[in-house]
């Protein structure tokens, strides 16, 4: 079995600040490179309803939206891309979508 080491990070500030801190750490790393490499395939496989996603996240975990905005700002990615990849919400196969 292979050993995997994962550093733990402690962040302080608003959710937006935390998103910006994460974005700074992700800039020019493998995470960013993999994102752009898989982006086309990802958008073909599933889509999100941007407004519905925002409404659900703000209803159940309001700080996450601010965090996603911070990531978007720091990485200079469109907010839609960040929400699509990192919100954890997919229209197809996601429990909140079935709850409507």
């Amino acid at each position: 079995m292979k050993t995997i080491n994962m550093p733990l990070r402690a962040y302080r500030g608003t959710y937006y600040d935390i998103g910006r801190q994460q974005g700074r750490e992700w800039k020019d790393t493998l995470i960013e490179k993999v994102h752009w490499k898989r982006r086309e395939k990802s958008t073909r496989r599933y889509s999100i309803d941007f407004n519905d996603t925002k409404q659900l996240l703000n209803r159940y975990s309001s700080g996450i939206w601010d965090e996603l905005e911070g990531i978007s700002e720091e990485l200079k990615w469109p907010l839609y891309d960040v929400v699509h990849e990192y919100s954890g919400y997919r229209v197809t196969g996601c429990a909140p979508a079935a709850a409507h």
Side-chain angles (χ1 to χ4, degrees):
M1 181 184 323
K2 185 176 182 177
T3 301
I4 298 174
N5 294 311
M6 177 61 111
L8 298 176
R9 304 277 192 251
Y11 299 104
R12 295 186 189 276
T14 65
Y15 285 98
Y16 180 81
D17 294 337
I18 290 168
R20 296 224 33 201
Q21 290 171 45
Q22 290 176 77
R24 277 192 293 277
E25 288 180 8
W26 294 356
K27 228 182 247 185
D28 301 319
T29 66
L30 187 57
I31 290 172
E32 189 172 24
K33 290 174 186 155
V34 168
H35 166 80
W36 290 113
K37 184 177 180 180
R38 67 179 225 97
R39 182 75 185 116
E40 185 178 330
K41 182 179 179 182
S42 176
T43 55
R44 283 195 317 260
R45 292 187 71 193
Y46 67 93
S47 62
I48 63 168
D49 181 317
F50 187 81
N51 292 325
D52 189 45
T53 304
K54 181 177 182 177
Q55 180 183 13
L56 286 169
L57 288 175
N58 283 326
R59 181 177 181 186
Y60 295 107
S61 186
S62 58
I64 291 178
W65 191 264
D66 294 339
E67 187 176 333
L68 294 169
E69 287 180 333
I71 293 169
S72 170
E73 175 72 24
E74 194 63 39
L75 291 177
K76 308 290 188 251
W77 293 358
L79 183 56
Y80 181 90
D81 285 0
V82 173
V83 172
H84 184 270
E85 297 299 321
Y86 301 110
S87 70
Y89 176 78
R90 294 183 186 183
V91 172
T92 55
C94 182
H100 283 230

